[in-house]
Amino acid sequence: MENETKFVIKGGRVIDPANDIDEVLDVYVEDGMISRIGGKKNYQDRAVIDATGKLVMPGLVDIHTHLREPGREDAETIQTGSLSAVRGGITSICCMANTTPPVDSSAGVRFIYDRARYAHCWVYPVAAISKGLKGEELAEMFDMAMAGAVGFSDDGRPLSNAQLLRNAMTYAKMFELPLMLHEEDLTLSSGRHMHEGVASGLAGMQAVPSVAESGMIARDVLLAEFLEARIHICHVSAKESVDVVRVAKERGVDVTAEATVHHLLLTDEDVVASGFDSNFKMNPPLRAKDDLAALIEGINDGAIDAIVTDHAPHPPEDKDCEFAVAPFGVIGLETSASLVYDKLVRPGIIDVKKMVELMSYNPARIVDISAGTLSQGANADIAIFDPEHKWTVSGRAMASKSRNTPFEGWELTGKPVWTMVGGEVAFDELSR
Ligand SMILES: [Zn+2]
């Protein structure tokens, strides 16, 4: 994504936690990189982007997405998913390995990079931990690390076998790559559709208790402590899970954790209120109010490091069915920044610097990619966010091939309006 054009993004409020910047400054871009921030004004011989009244932030980094390619190109492709990303201010995405076939070989990793050459943003493959995601035998982790996998995950499924996980931790440590763990005790969760609590009780729905997640996290942080390995916990949803991660961090365990946008904003009561709309069905399930409050506390005190989308596209023909038989997952790439801004930043639950930390700086560090900052010499991955832009969420209007959003019809204030990836304008609603 090389570009000869020189840019200056003028007059915006620049938020760059990496350099502790929150100030109105001009951002200069040359040769696909940030050439400088602030300093002597020079608007000649360059494209001038007027960001007055807007927020200028490092492009967001989503380390948990499902792009469905290869195998389910009817649901999403690397092309459509990455377009959806840049429309949401996201410039780097990590895609999970549970495609058809799964990305469990170096050829699979190379396939993703090959397809990603035509993507709208940077796409980084997360490779499978086990062959065929079966949890029985380790995949060729060394080969996949060499091919450029940025992490390993069987996401969609847990690693039930602790010995296999121990072996995976030992390998991942050698490559200094994170194991990104989907935590679920299948003996407690199989065949169940929502969070076990008051709402499921009233509805008479087969439900998953929080301990199906927190119990597995406890096992895995203790195993990581024992082996001095590094792990990342995917989509933490339960209060007890946040507590376990927090205690593990206090004990010095090398663990990071993420929460999804939907778990930060919705609960099991929303599932009921929706009339069991399958767009409210995800794994882990939306939990109770206490859990949501614990996640908010977690993002504020550092127990949770990153906010992700867990973008999981399913076409209408798969999702338009009864709650109990619908597949898990919702899309989120085009709504995550707006939702976090409108529902967490505007009410003062977090500040905008924290938003950028959680959605750009921290996630980039978890998978160790060069992103998440506006430092001089960094890739020119930039999002301009209009804090006053009002819009209404519509699955139909999205670039994603799927429409399964639980936020349909939500009226939001604040929206990414201009996205640059590697010095190229990838999305522009600013000049409209
Ligand atoms: Zn998962």
Side-chain angles (χ1 to χ4, degrees), residues 135-171:
E136 292 164 1
E137 200 184 338
L138 285 188
E140 300 291 347
M141 291 173 70
F142 175 79
D143 292 353
M144 295 191 291
M146 291 299 111
V150 296
F152 296 100
S153 182
D154 273 9
D155 183 56
R157 294 184 59 79
L159 276 170
S160 303
N161 182 330
Q163 179 61 47
L164 192 77
L165 178 57
R166 175 179 183 166
N167 296 344
M169 282 185 185
T170 308
Y171 278 113

PDB file of all heavy atoms in Angstrom, residues 135-171:
ATOM      1  N   GLY A 135      -8.691 -30.121  18.701  1.00  0.00           N
ATOM      2  CA  GLY A 135      -8.252 -30.184  20.097  1.00  0.00           C
ATOM      3  C   GLY A 135      -7.577 -31.494  20.455  1.00  0.00           C
ATOM      4  O   GLY A 135      -7.496 -31.847  21.630  1.00  0.00           O
ATOM      5  N   GLU A 136      -7.097 -32.195  19.442  1.00  0.00           N
ATOM      6  CA  GLU A 136      -6.502 -33.513  19.703  1.00  0.00           C
ATOM      7  C   GLU A 136      -4.993 -33.519  19.500  1.00  0.00           C
ATOM      8  O   GLU A 136      -4.255 -34.161  20.236  1.00  0.00           O
ATOM      9  CB  GLU A 136      -7.140 -34.558  18.772  1.00  0.00           C
ATOM     10  CG  GLU A 136      -8.599 -34.822  19.105  1.00  0.00           C
ATOM     11  CD  GLU A 136      -9.330 -35.544  17.982  1.00  0.00           C
ATOM     12  OE1 GLU A 136      -8.706 -35.862  16.941  1.00  0.00           O
ATOM     13  OE2 GLU A 136     -10.553 -35.754  18.146  1.00  0.00           O
ATOM     14  N   GLU A 137      -4.542 -32.801  18.483  1.00  0.00           N
ATOM     15  CA  GLU A 137      -3.141 -32.868  18.084  1.00  0.00           C
ATOM     16  C   GLU A 137      -2.707 -31.455  17.696  1.00  0.00           C
ATOM     17  O   GLU A 137      -3.468 -30.741  17.035  1.00  0.00           O
ATOM     18  CB  GLU A 137      -3.078 -33.771  16.837  1.00  0.00           C
ATOM     19  CG  GLU A 137      -1.750 -34.340  16.533  1.00  0.00           C
ATOM     20  CD  GLU A 137      -1.818 -35.142  15.208  1.00  0.00           C
ATOM     21  OE1 GLU A 137      -2.936 -35.567  14.814  1.00  0.00           O
ATOM     22  OE2 GLU A 137      -0.781 -35.300  14.587  1.00  0.00           O
ATOM     23  N   LEU A 138      -1.509 -31.042  18.100  1.00  0.00           N
ATOM     24  CA  LEU A 138      -1.070 -29.689  17.766  1.00  0.00           C
ATOM     25  C   LEU A 138      -0.889 -29.525  16.259  1.00  0.00           C
ATOM     26  O   LEU A 138      -0.420 -30.431  15.579  1.00  0.00           O
ATOM     27  CB  LEU A 138       0.263 -29.363  18.458  1.00  0.00           C
ATOM     28  CG  LEU A 138       0.227 -29.059  19.949  1.00  0.00           C
ATOM     29  CD1 LEU A 138       1.601 -28.567  20.403  1.00  0.00           C
ATOM     30  CD2 LEU A 138      -0.853 -28.051  20.312  1.00  0.00           C
ATOM     31  N   ALA A 139      -1.275 -28.359  15.766  1.00  0.00           N
ATOM     32  CA  ALA A 139      -1.007 -28.024  14.366  1.00  0.00           C
ATOM     33  C   ALA A 139       0.482 -27.685  14.240  1.00  0.00           C
ATOM     34  O   ALA A 139       1.201 -27.634  15.239  1.00  0.00           O
ATOM     35  CB  ALA A 139      -1.872 -26.835  13.962  1.00  0.00           C
ATOM     36  N   GLU A 140       0.929 -27.437  13.010  1.00  0.00           N
ATOM     37  CA  GLU A 140       2.348 -27.142  12.783  1.00  0.00           C
ATOM     38  C   GLU A 140       2.632 -25.708  13.197  1.00  0.00           C
ATOM     39  O   GLU A 140       2.768 -24.813  12.364  1.00  0.00           O
ATOM     40  CB  GLU A 140       2.694 -27.359  11.305  1.00  0.00           C
ATOM     41  CG  GLU A 140       2.452 -28.770  10.798  1.00  0.00           C
ATOM     42  CD  GLU A 140       3.427 -29.768  11.408  1.00  0.00           C
ATOM     43  OE1 GLU A 140       4.425 -29.340  12.025  1.00  0.00           O
ATOM     44  OE2 GLU A 140       3.181 -30.987  11.286  1.00  0.00           O
ATOM     45  N   MET A 141       2.736 -25.510  14.491  1.00  0.00           N
ATOM     46  CA  MET A 141       2.844 -24.135  14.997  1.00  0.00           C
ATOM     47  C   MET A 141       4.121 -23.445  14.517  1.00  0.00           C
ATOM     48  O   MET A 141       4.101 -22.259  14.180  1.00  0.00           O
ATOM     49  CB  MET A 141       2.751 -24.127  16.528  1.00  0.00           C
ATOM     50  CG  MET A 141       1.360 -24.503  17.026  1.00  0.00           C
ATOM     51  SD  MET A 141       1.263 -24.691  18.828  1.00  0.00           S
ATOM     52  CE  MET A 141       1.460 -23.013  19.384  1.00  0.00           C
ATOM     53  N   PHE A 142       5.213 -24.170  14.470  1.00  0.00           N
ATOM     54  CA  PHE A 142       6.475 -23.563  14.035  1.00  0.00           C
ATOM     55  C   PHE A 142       6.360 -23.037  12.604  1.00  0.00           C
ATOM     56  O   PHE A 142       6.676 -21.884  12.319  1.00  0.00           O
ATOM     57  CB  PHE A 142       7.622 -24.582  14.141  1.00  0.00           C
ATOM     58  CG  PHE A 142       8.926 -24.061  13.606  1.00  0.00           C
ATOM     59  CD1 PHE A 142       9.701 -23.189  14.380  1.00  0.00           C
ATOM     60  CD2 PHE A 142       9.371 -24.416  12.335  1.00  0.00           C
ATOM     61  CE1 PHE A 142      10.901 -22.687  13.877  1.00  0.00           C
ATOM     62  CE2 PHE A 142      10.568 -23.909  11.831  1.00  0.00           C
ATOM     63  CZ  PHE A 142      11.338 -23.052  12.610  1.00  0.00           C
ATOM     64  N   ASP A 143       5.856 -23.895  11.708  1.00  0.00           N
ATOM     65  CA  ASP A 143       5.726 -23.499  10.299  1.00  0.00           C
ATOM     66  C   ASP A 143       4.801 -22.290  10.151  1.00  0.00           C
ATOM     67  O   ASP A 143       5.055 -21.396   9.351  1.00  0.00           O
ATOM     68  CB  ASP A 143       5.140 -24.652   9.461  1.00  0.00           C
ATOM     69  CG  ASP A 143       6.111 -25.817   9.347  1.00  0.00           C
ATOM     70  OD1 ASP A 143       7.268 -25.665   9.794  1.00  0.00           O
ATOM     71  OD2 ASP A 143       5.702 -26.877   8.829  1.00  0.00           O
ATOM     72  N   MET A 144       3.739 -22.291  10.922  1.00  0.00           N
ATOM     73  CA  MET A 144       2.771 -21.192  10.806  1.00  0.00           C
ATOM     74  C   MET A 144       3.343 -19.904  11.390  1.00  0.00           C
ATOM     75  O   MET A 144       3.082 -18.811  10.871  1.00  0.00           O
ATOM     76  CB  MET A 144       1.457 -21.579  11.476  1.00  0.00           C
ATOM     77  CG  MET A 144       0.781 -22.755  10.744  1.00  0.00           C
ATOM     78  SD  MET A 144      -0.908 -23.047  11.277  1.00  0.00           S
ATOM     79  CE  MET A 144      -0.669 -23.666  12.928  1.00  0.00           C
ATOM     80  N   ALA A 145       4.146 -20.025  12.438  1.00  0.00           N
ATOM     81  CA  ALA A 145       4.815 -18.843  12.996  1.00  0.00           C
ATOM     82  C   ALA A 145       5.768 -18.264  11.943  1.00  0.00           C
ATOM     83  O   ALA A 145       5.810 -17.054  11.705  1.00  0.00           O
ATOM     84  CB  ALA A 145       5.562 -19.210  14.266  1.00  0.00           C
ATOM     85  N   MET A 146       6.506 -19.144  11.288  1.00  0.00           N
ATOM     86  CA  MET A 146       7.448 -18.709  10.253  1.00  0.00           C
ATOM     87  C   MET A 146       6.712 -18.050   9.080  1.00  0.00           C
ATOM     88  O   MET A 146       7.219 -17.128   8.452  1.00  0.00           O
ATOM     89  CB  MET A 146       8.275 -19.901   9.729  1.00  0.00           C
ATOM     90  CG  MET A 146       9.256 -20.465  10.719  1.00  0.00           C
ATOM     91  SD  MET A 146      10.484 -19.254  11.241  1.00  0.00           S
ATOM     92  CE  MET A 146      10.015 -18.979  12.936  1.00  0.00           C
ATOM     93  N   ALA A 147       5.510 -18.533   8.797  1.00  0.00           N
ATOM     94  CA  ALA A 147       4.730 -17.975   7.678  1.00  0.00           C
ATOM     95  C   ALA A 147       4.066 -16.650   8.049  1.00  0.00           C
ATOM     96  O   ALA A 147       3.477 -15.994   7.194  1.00  0.00           O
ATOM     97  CB  ALA A 147       3.676 -18.990   7.228  1.00  0.00           C
ATOM     98  N   GLY A 148       4.154 -16.271   9.332  1.00  0.00           N
ATOM     99  CA  GLY A 148       3.674 -14.945   9.704  1.00  0.00           C
ATOM    100  C   GLY A 148       2.403 -14.901  10.539  1.00  0.00           C
ATOM    101  O   GLY A 148       1.808 -13.829  10.697  1.00  0.00           O
ATOM    102  N   ALA A 149       2.008 -16.037  11.107  1.00  0.00           N
ATOM    103  CA  ALA A 149       0.855 -15.992  12.026  1.00  0.00           C
ATOM    104  C   ALA A 149       1.195 -15.056  13.189  1.00  0.00           C
ATOM    105  O   ALA A 149       2.325 -15.048  13.672  1.00  0.00           O
ATOM    106  CB  ALA A 149       0.557 -17.393  12.557  1.00  0.00           C
ATOM    107  N   VAL A 150       0.227 -14.250  13.607  1.00  0.00           N
ATOM    108  CA  VAL A 150       0.501 -13.291  14.693  1.00  0.00           C
ATOM    109  C   VAL A 150       0.065 -13.822  16.062  1.00  0.00           C
ATOM    110  O   VAL A 150       0.302 -13.194  17.084  1.00  0.00           O
ATOM    111  CB  VAL A 150      -0.167 -11.920  14.438  1.00  0.00           C
ATOM    112  CG1 VAL A 150       0.427 -11.264  13.199  1.00  0.00           C
ATOM    113  CG2 VAL A 150      -1.685 -12.052  14.326  1.00  0.00           C
ATOM    114  N   GLY A 151      -0.571 -14.981  16.044  1.00  0.00           N
ATOM    115  CA  GLY A 151      -1.010 -15.605  17.279  1.00  0.00           C
ATOM    116  C   GLY A 151      -1.611 -16.949  16.937  1.00  0.00           C
ATOM    117  O   GLY A 151      -1.716 -17.308  15.753  1.00  0.00           O
ATOM    118  N   PHE A 152      -1.987 -17.682  17.968  1.00  0.00           N
ATOM    119  CA  PHE A 152      -2.602 -18.992  17.757  1.00  0.00           C
ATOM    120  C   PHE A 152      -3.912 -19.066  18.521  1.00  0.00           C
ATOM    121  O   PHE A 152      -3.989 -18.632  19.674  1.00  0.00           O
ATOM    122  CB  PHE A 152      -1.685 -20.105  18.260  1.00  0.00           C
ATOM    123  CG  PHE A 152      -0.390 -20.191  17.512  1.00  0.00           C
ATOM    124  CD1 PHE A 152       0.772 -19.651  18.047  1.00  0.00           C
ATOM    125  CD2 PHE A 152      -0.335 -20.789  16.257  1.00  0.00           C
ATOM    126  CE1 PHE A 152       1.971 -19.724  17.350  1.00  0.00           C
ATOM    127  CE2 PHE A 152       0.856 -20.860  15.556  1.00  0.00           C
ATOM    128  CZ  PHE A 152       2.013 -20.322  16.104  1.00  0.00           C
ATOM    129  N   SER A 153      -4.920 -19.646  17.877  1.00  0.00           N
ATOM    130  CA  SER A 153      -6.202 -19.787  18.554  1.00  0.00           C
ATOM    131  C   SER A 153      -7.055 -20.852  17.878  1.00  0.00           C
ATOM    132  O   SER A 153      -7.055 -20.979  16.657  1.00  0.00           O
ATOM    133  CB  SER A 153      -6.961 -18.454  18.519  1.00  0.00           C
ATOM    134  OG  SER A 153      -8.180 -18.585  19.218  1.00  0.00           O
ATOM    135  N   ASP A 154      -7.773 -21.591  18.688  1.00  0.00           N
ATOM    136  CA  ASP A 154      -8.806 -22.505  18.182  1.00  0.00           C
ATOM    137  C   ASP A 154     -10.165 -21.837  18.325  1.00  0.00           C
ATOM    138  O   ASP A 154     -11.197 -22.518  18.409  1.00  0.00           O
ATOM    139  CB  ASP A 154      -8.791 -23.839  18.960  1.00  0.00           C
ATOM    140  CG  ASP A 154      -7.812 -24.845  18.363  1.00  0.00           C
ATOM    141  OD1 ASP A 154      -7.031 -24.453  17.469  1.00  0.00           O
ATOM    142  OD2 ASP A 154      -7.811 -26.012  18.797  1.00  0.00           O
ATOM    143  N   ASP A 155     -10.174 -20.507  18.363  1.00  0.00           N
ATOM    144  CA  ASP A 155     -11.398 -19.765  18.694  1.00  0.00           C
ATOM    145  C   ASP A 155     -12.631 -20.334  18.005  1.00  0.00           C
ATOM    146  O   ASP A 155     -12.610 -20.699  16.832  1.00  0.00           O
ATOM    147  CB  ASP A 155     -11.261 -18.295  18.323  1.00  0.00           C
ATOM    148  CG  ASP A 155     -12.505 -17.527  18.727  1.00  0.00           C
ATOM    149  OD1 ASP A 155     -12.848 -17.578  19.907  1.00  0.00           O
ATOM    150  OD2 ASP A 155     -13.157 -16.934  17.855  1.00  0.00           O
ATOM    151  N   GLY A 156     -13.693 -20.351  18.772  1.00  0.00           N
ATOM    152  CA  GLY A 156     -14.916 -21.039  18.366  1.00  0.00           C
ATOM    153  C   GLY A 156     -15.040 -22.298  19.197  1.00  0.00           C
ATOM    154  O   GLY A 156     -16.135 -22.749  19.504  1.00  0.00           O
ATOM    155  N   ARG A 157     -13.863 -22.816  19.569  1.00  0.00           N
ATOM    156  CA  ARG A 157     -13.828 -24.002  20.415  1.00  0.00           C
ATOM    157  C   ARG A 157     -12.753 -23.841  21.490  1.00  0.00           C
ATOM    158  O   ARG A 157     -11.735 -23.224  21.256  1.00  0.00           O
ATOM    159  CB  ARG A 157     -13.491 -25.244  19.583  1.00  0.00           C
ATOM    160  CG  ARG A 157     -14.552 -25.627  18.567  1.00  0.00           C
ATOM    161  CD  ARG A 157     -14.164 -26.924  17.851  1.00  0.00           C
ATOM    162  NE  ARG A 157     -13.984 -28.036  18.787  1.00  0.00           N
ATOM    163  CZ  ARG A 157     -14.988 -28.725  19.319  1.00  0.00           C
ATOM    164  NH1 ARG A 157     -16.223 -28.436  19.004  1.00  0.00           N
ATOM    165  NH2 ARG A 157     -14.754 -29.720  20.149  1.00  0.00           N
ATOM    166  N   PRO A 158     -12.975 -24.416  22.663  1.00  0.00           N
ATOM    167  CA  PRO A 158     -11.950 -24.372  23.705  1.00  0.00           C
ATOM    168  C   PRO A 158     -10.920 -25.481  23.509  1.00  0.00           C
ATOM    169  O   PRO A 158     -11.139 -26.404  22.724  1.00  0.00           O
ATOM    170  CB  PRO A 158     -12.767 -24.651  24.967  1.00  0.00           C
ATOM    171  CG  PRO A 158     -13.866 -25.553  24.505  1.00  0.00           C
ATOM    172  CD  PRO A 158     -14.200 -25.111  23.098  1.00  0.00           C
ATOM    173  N   LEU A 159      -9.794 -25.371  24.217  1.00  0.00           N
ATOM    174  CA  LEU A 159      -8.871 -26.501  24.295  1.00  0.00           C
ATOM    175  C   LEU A 159      -9.187 -27.224  25.597  1.00  0.00           C
ATOM    176  O   LEU A 159      -8.768 -26.819  26.676  1.00  0.00           O
ATOM    177  CB  LEU A 159      -7.434 -25.999  24.311  1.00  0.00           C
ATOM    178  CG  LEU A 159      -6.822 -25.709  22.948  1.00  0.00           C
ATOM    179  CD1 LEU A 159      -5.500 -25.006  23.110  1.00  0.00           C
ATOM    180  CD2 LEU A 159      -6.659 -26.985  22.127  1.00  0.00           C
ATOM    181  N   SER A 160      -9.949 -28.273  25.484  1.00  0.00           N
ATOM    182  CA  SER A 160     -10.371 -28.998  26.683  1.00  0.00           C
ATOM    183  C   SER A 160      -9.224 -29.787  27.292  1.00  0.00           C
ATOM    184  O   SER A 160      -9.122 -29.928  28.506  1.00  0.00           O
ATOM    185  CB  SER A 160     -11.530 -29.946  26.343  1.00  0.00           C
ATOM    186  OG  SER A 160     -12.601 -29.197  25.787  1.00  0.00           O
ATOM    187  N   ASN A 161      -8.335 -30.260  26.427  1.00  0.00           N
ATOM    188  CA  ASN A 161      -7.225 -31.110  26.856  1.00  0.00           C
ATOM    189  C   ASN A 161      -6.080 -30.251  27.409  1.00  0.00           C
ATOM    190  O   ASN A 161      -5.393 -29.564  26.660  1.00  0.00           O
ATOM    191  CB  ASN A 161      -6.778 -31.926  25.638  1.00  0.00           C
ATOM    192  CG  ASN A 161      -5.654 -32.885  25.961  1.00  0.00           C
ATOM    193  OD1 ASN A 161      -4.831 -32.632  26.848  1.00  0.00           O
ATOM    194  ND2 ASN A 161      -5.602 -33.983  25.225  1.00  0.00           N
ATOM    195  N   ALA A 162      -5.888 -30.306  28.723  1.00  0.00           N
ATOM    196  CA  ALA A 162      -4.898 -29.440  29.367  1.00  0.00           C
ATOM    197  C   ALA A 162      -3.466 -29.794  28.966  1.00  0.00           C
ATOM    198  O   ALA A 162      -2.601 -28.925  28.881  1.00  0.00           O
ATOM    199  CB  ALA A 162      -5.054 -29.510  30.880  1.00  0.00           C
ATOM    200  N   GLN A 163      -3.212 -31.057  28.702  1.00  0.00           N
ATOM    201  CA  GLN A 163      -1.865 -31.457  28.278  1.00  0.00           C
ATOM    202  C   GLN A 163      -1.542 -30.859  26.905  1.00  0.00           C
ATOM    203  O   GLN A 163      -0.439 -30.383  26.665  1.00  0.00           O
ATOM    204  CB  GLN A 163      -1.742 -32.991  28.241  1.00  0.00           C
ATOM    205  CG  GLN A 163      -0.372 -33.498  27.789  1.00  0.00           C
ATOM    206  CD  GLN A 163       0.764 -33.046  28.711  1.00  0.00           C
ATOM    207  OE1 GLN A 163       0.660 -33.146  29.931  1.00  0.00           O
ATOM    208  NE2 GLN A 163       1.841 -32.528  28.136  1.00  0.00           N
ATOM    209  N   LEU A 164      -2.529 -30.872  26.025  1.00  0.00           N
ATOM    210  CA  LEU A 164      -2.332 -30.278  24.699  1.00  0.00           C
ATOM    211  C   LEU A 164      -2.060 -28.774  24.837  1.00  0.00           C
ATOM    212  O   LEU A 164      -1.178 -28.219  24.187  1.00  0.00           O
ATOM    213  CB  LEU A 164      -3.569 -30.511  23.828  1.00  0.00           C
ATOM    214  CG  LEU A 164      -3.358 -30.194  22.346  1.00  0.00           C
ATOM    215  CD1 LEU A 164      -2.575 -31.300  21.658  1.00  0.00           C
ATOM    216  CD2 LEU A 164      -4.692 -29.988  21.640  1.00  0.00           C
ATOM    217  N   LEU A 165      -2.823 -28.135  25.714  1.00  0.00           N
ATOM    218  CA  LEU A 165      -2.627 -26.704  25.942  1.00  0.00           C
ATOM    219  C   LEU A 165      -1.237 -26.446  26.526  1.00  0.00           C
ATOM    220  O   LEU A 165      -0.556 -25.504  26.149  1.00  0.00           O
ATOM    221  CB  LEU A 165      -3.716 -26.167  26.879  1.00  0.00           C
ATOM    222  CG  LEU A 165      -3.607 -24.686  27.246  1.00  0.00           C
ATOM    223  CD1 LEU A 165      -3.595 -23.799  25.999  1.00  0.00           C
ATOM    224  CD2 LEU A 165      -4.758 -24.272  28.164  1.00  0.00           C
ATOM    225  N   ARG A 166      -0.813 -27.324  27.427  1.00  0.00           N
ATOM    226  CA  ARG A 166       0.535 -27.183  27.996  1.00  0.00           C
ATOM    227  C   ARG A 166       1.586 -27.226  26.886  1.00  0.00           C
ATOM    228  O   ARG A 166       2.483 -26.396  26.842  1.00  0.00           O
ATOM    229  CB  ARG A 166       0.773 -28.316  29.007  1.00  0.00           C
ATOM    230  CG  ARG A 166       2.182 -28.298  29.550  1.00  0.00           C
ATOM    231  CD  ARG A 166       2.455 -29.383  30.573  1.00  0.00           C
ATOM    232  NE  ARG A 166       3.832 -29.201  31.072  1.00  0.00           N
ATOM    233  CZ  ARG A 166       4.316 -29.790  32.137  1.00  0.00           C
ATOM    234  NH1 ARG A 166       3.577 -30.611  32.835  1.00  0.00           N
ATOM    235  NH2 ARG A 166       5.562 -29.560  32.515  1.00  0.00           N
ATOM    236  N   ASN A 167       1.441 -28.173  25.982  1.00  0.00           N
ATOM    237  CA  ASN A 167       2.392 -28.262  24.873  1.00  0.00           C
ATOM    238  C   ASN A 167       2.340 -27.008  24.003  1.00  0.00           C
ATOM    239  O   ASN A 167       3.370 -26.483  23.584  1.00  0.00           O
ATOM    240  CB  ASN A 167       2.099 -29.499  24.012  1.00  0.00           C
ATOM    241  CG  ASN A 167       2.295 -30.795  24.780  1.00  0.00           C
ATOM    242  OD1 ASN A 167       2.922 -30.814  25.849  1.00  0.00           O
ATOM    243  ND2 ASN A 167       1.744 -31.888  24.256  1.00  0.00           N
ATOM    244  N   ALA A 168       1.129 -26.540  23.748  1.00  0.00           N
ATOM    245  CA  ALA A 168       0.961 -25.335  22.920  1.00  0.00           C
ATOM    246  C   ALA A 168       1.622 -24.137  23.593  1.00  0.00           C
ATOM    247  O   ALA A 168       2.276 -23.321  22.940  1.00  0.00           O
ATOM    248  CB  ALA A 168      -0.528 -25.067  22.680  1.00  0.00           C
ATOM    249  N   MET A 169       1.458 -24.026  24.903  1.00  0.00           N
ATOM    250  CA  MET A 169       2.068 -22.906  25.637  1.00  0.00           C
ATOM    251  C   MET A 169       3.586 -22.954  25.510  1.00  0.00           C
ATOM    252  O   MET A 169       4.232 -21.921  25.331  1.00  0.00           O
ATOM    253  CB  MET A 169       1.681 -22.965  27.121  1.00  0.00           C
ATOM    254  CG  MET A 169       0.274 -22.466  27.407  1.00  0.00           C
ATOM    255  SD  MET A 169      -0.027 -22.454  29.201  1.00  0.00           S
ATOM    256  CE  MET A 169      -1.765 -21.979  29.245  1.00  0.00           C
ATOM    257  N   THR A 170       4.131 -24.146  25.597  1.00  0.00           N
ATOM    258  CA  THR A 170       5.581 -24.294  25.521  1.00  0.00           C
ATOM    259  C   THR A 170       6.096 -23.858  24.151  1.00  0.00           C
ATOM    260  O   THR A 170       7.093 -23.146  24.049  1.00  0.00           O
ATOM    261  CB  THR A 170       5.970 -25.769  25.798  1.00  0.00           C
ATOM    262  OG1 THR A 170       5.346 -26.160  27.023  1.00  0.00           O
ATOM    263  CG2 THR A 170       7.466 -25.946  25.906  1.00  0.00           C
ATOM    264  N   TYR A 171       5.373 -24.250  23.096  1.00  0.00           N
ATOM    265  CA  TYR A 171       5.773 -23.829  21.746  1.00  0.00           C
ATOM    266  C   TYR A 171       5.601 -22.332  21.548  1.00  0.00           C
ATOM    267  O   TYR A 171       6.504 -21.647  21.087  1.00  0.00           O
ATOM    268  CB  TYR A 171       4.949 -24.565  20.680  1.00  0.00           C
ATOM    269  CG  TYR A 171       5.473 -25.935  20.375  1.00  0.00           C
ATOM    270  CD1 TYR A 171       4.744 -27.066  20.699  1.00  0.00           C
ATOM    271  CD2 TYR A 171       6.701 -26.095  19.733  1.00  0.00           C
ATOM    272  CE1 TYR A 171       5.214 -28.334  20.424  1.00  0.00           C
ATOM    273  CE2 TYR A 171       7.187 -27.361  19.448  1.00  0.00           C
ATOM    274  CZ  TYR A 171       6.441 -28.474  19.802  1.00  0.00           C
ATOM    275  OH  TYR A 171       6.915 -29.721  19.516  1.00  0.00           O
TER     276      TYR A 171
END
